[in-house]
Amino acid sequence: MAKEPMLKFVDVARDMPAKRMPDLRRQDFDEIYSEYATEKAAEQASRCSQCGVPYCQSHCPLHNNIPDWLRLTAQGRLREAYDISQATNTFPEICGRICPQDRLCEGNCVIEQSGHGTVTIGSVEKYITDTAFEEGWVQPIRPHAERGESVGIIGAGPGGLAAADLLRRQGIQVTVYDRYDRAGGLLTYGIPGFKLEKDIVMKRIDQLTDGGVEFVMNCDVGVDLTFDAIRGKHDAVLIATGVYDSRELQAPGSGSEGVVRAIDYLTASNRKSFGDEVPEFDSGELDAEGKRVVVIGGGDTAMDCVRTAIRQGAESVKCLYRRDRANMPGSQREVQNAEEEGVEFVWLSAPKGFDSNDDGVTGVIVQKMRLGAPDATGRQTPEIIHDADYLEEADLVIKALGFSPEALPTLWDVPELEVTRWGTIMADFKTHATNLEGVYACGDIQRGASLVVWAIRDGREAAEAMITYLSENVSVAAE
Ligand SMILES: Cc1cc2nc3c(=O)[nH]c(=O)nc-3n(C[C@H](O)[C@H](O)[C@H](O)COP(=O)(O)OP(=O)(O)OC[C@H]3O[C@@H](n4cnc5c(N)ncnc54)[C@H](O)[C@@H]3O)c2cc1C
Ligand code: SF4
């Protein structure tokens, strides 16, 4: 029997995989953390206390069986660790890289609570599946038998892809429609390579294509193909379109040239990483090189923008946020990474307007703020400090204020599709069924801007519900 090497958290300190030096990181879009060596992964996994009630597991949206795969990794039984890890997570190597672990699994690790530093769960999860790919253990999608029913999925982000994977493994015919030219959604065009290298995502797309999932790209549903046509073609439909309506600033001058939306800026940069021609980047409009850049916002999108601007060779990069460091929504780990790379944070500051000349924006008029009384949610409300405005000079201003859903019932001409007062699709949170027969919704378009791991969970749950629906209501023999 394999020896039990666990509970080492008192003797072995928490140790993340090596992080590249900021000077090197600034020069490329490669990931900043290296991979654990085998011994290191085993050592770090052995710190797990195997506690009776694993809070890490209950705070992981996928309820990953974390203590078991940590124990198997510590014992060197990596193949089994991989089998357990992939049973609950469609893309463990992606979650291991980009989940905000400090708010999920690791933030609830019992040894962290006792002051020993959390087990590096995300890094071990990434290591297990990266190794599985290298060793050829990742299973291709080969259904035992083909089924005749077909599902149309609108949106090739993590939600849609997680559903496609499960449906296809059951032999169901799956077609994924997306308006972009590449699949992956925000994994491909939103999140920069320094958090998630693109070949990691493309490997999964290849796996799905090889397993028989059909991708119809450059297909903007509502423009190139009607929603009704998709419903007519398939026995069930999953809407997994994410949220793409950028929140706007209502401030004088916000329409000036050089004041751009985060999603356009990040998409252009990610496209360049693929080697694409991007006219808006090549013209300089969406390129930060040599510019004084100001990013407005305090979430993960803002963090991705500031760090992208650094890598593009900006002269200076500042992040304006109206609350303080302790109250920002973005991950503290990302703030630290950004600071190491040379980003300056300007806390308690909000844009009041923009100065510009014939060439475009020249600066942001900044209003200073203080934190007032807590609102109904308990968060302190920012209040303006009068007569403290100043001009922050800038040649490129990036608005990263969050995203709202597009008005799908109108855009798709399906007024009967029920949405919430926020515009997200109203669907059951377990089955993901909408009010339309055979139509399901998952990911950000159902829950609002959220996380990759939640989109994966939703996609998996929606797929399970659709399989039941198809079996009970449709059942078509394969040709
Ligand atoms: C810049 C940025 C950084 C982020 N960083 C992180 C992070 O580090 N960690 C994390 O967990 N989460 C992060 N998130 C959030 C995460 O990316 C999303 O929660 C997740 O991608 C949602 O998945 P989804 O499948 O619902 O939608 P998406 O990933 O948005 O995919 C939706 C897909 O639907 C397609 N689509 C939309 N409308 C149509 C249409 N009409 N016709 C056809 N196709 C359509 C889109 O082209 C897209 O490919 C980040 C988000 C952003 C914007
Ligand atoms: S999926 Fe995310 S939350 Fe769950 S164990 Fe992995 S890193 Fe943690």
Side-chain angles (χ1 to χ4, degrees), residues 416-427:
E416 64 276 22
L417 176 65
E418 280 180 8
V419 293
T420 65
R421 65 193 165 103
W422 300 281
T424 47
I425 294 181
M426 203 179 274

Side-chain angles (χ1 to χ4, degrees), residues 60-62 64 66 69 89 95-96 99 101 104-105 121-122 125 453:
C60 164
L62 293 162
N64 281 343
I66 300 164
W69 48 252
N89 191 351
C95 292
C99 270
Q101 284 102 11
L104 301 170
C105 53
I121 297 169
E125 187 177 27
V453 65

Side-chain angles (χ1 to χ4, degrees), residues 345-362:
F345 285 86
V346 188
W347 308 112
L348 295 163
S349 304
K352 183 180 182 181
F354 300 89
D355 268 2
S356 58
N357 61 22
D358 290 349
D359 294 330
V361 71
T362 54

Side-chain angles (χ1 to χ4, degrees), residues 150-154 175 177 221 227-240 412 432-434 436-441 462 466 469-470:
S150 98
V151 170
I153 298 178
I154 310 172
T175 307
Y177 302 85
V221 174
F227 179 66
D228 268 356
I230 292 180
R231 271 191 95 187
K233 257 177 110 162
H234 300 284
D235 301 308
V237 174
L238 175 64
I239 304 173
W412 290 0
H432 302 269
T434 70
L436 303 184
E437 163 92 27
V439 177
Y440 296 75
M466 291 166 99
Y469 169 80
L470 294 171

Side-chain angles (χ1 to χ4, degrees), residues 163-366:
D165 180 273
L166 273 194
L167 289 163
R168 201 46 215 127
R169 285 181 196 277
Q170 291 299 312
I172 290 163
Q173 311 308 311
V174 180
T175 307
V176 182
Y177 302 85
D178 201 289
R179 63 184 170 197
Y180 282 139
D181 55 344
R182 290 186 181 91
L186 289 171
L187 301 176
T188 298
Y189 284 136
I191 299 171
F194 50 81
K195 278 165 54 182
L196 175 64
E197 283 172 13
K198 300 302 151 189
D199 60 331
I200 305 287
V201 184
M202 293 305 126
K203 227 175 346 191
R204 286 297 185 177
I205 312 295
D206 291 346
Q207 187 195 27
L208 288 162
T209 309
D210 173 62
V213 173
E214 190 192 345
F215 285 93
V216 180
M217 305 309 292
N218 298 305
C219 176
D220 191 349
V221 174
V223 177
D224 301 313
L225 194 59
T226 65
F227 179 66
D228 268 356
I230 292 180
R231 271 191 95 187
K233 257 177 110 162
H234 300 284
D235 301 308
V237 174
L238 175 64
I239 304 173
T241 49
V243 288
Y244 283 88
D245 204 358
S246 298
R247 294 206 186 106
E248 278 303 330
L249 262 176
Q250 307 301 334
S254 65
S256 307
E257 210 170 294
V259 181
V260 305
R261 299 185 313 170
I263 192 72
D264 298 334
Y265 175 70
L266 292 173
T267 305
S269 176
N270 278 314
R271 281 193 181 285
K272 287 311 286 183
S273 304
F274 280 105
D276 293 357
E277 266 185 35
V278 184
E280 318 82 68
F281 182 92
D282 300 333
S283 69
E285 188 189 333
L286 295 178
D287 183 359
E289 188 178 359
K291 293 181 182 166
R292 295 162 301 175
V293 178
V294 171
V295 176
I296 300 169
D300 286 332
T301 304
M303 295 309 102
D304 289 350
C305 290
V306 289
R307 298 178 67 203
T308 296
I310 289 278
R311 284 159 174 78
Q312 288 176 349
E315 184 185 311
S316 63
V317 183
K318 295 188 179 177
C319 181
L320 289 192
Y321 181 55
R322 63 197 180 127
R323 292 189 166 88
D324 60 5
R325 185 187 196 116
N327 286 286
M328 69 180 297
S331 144
Q332 292 296 326
R333 183 178 66 182
E334 296 305 304
V335 178
Q336 193 194 335
N337 287 335
E339 280 180 328
E340 288 168 4
E341 289 162 11
V343 174
E344 187 186 325
F345 285 86
V346 188
W347 308 112
L348 295 163
S349 304
K352 183 180 182 181
F354 300 89
D355 268 2
S356 58
N357 61 22
D358 290 349
D359 294 330
V361 71
T362 54
V364 185
I365 303 159
V366 179

Side-chain angles (χ1 to χ4, degrees), residues 429 432 442-443 446-447 453-463:
F429 264 100
H432 302 269
C442 77
Q446 183 191 8
R447 58 173 70 242
V453 65
W454 281 109
I456 295 172
R457 169 170 163 170
D458 290 352
R460 292 171 65 95
E461 284 178 351

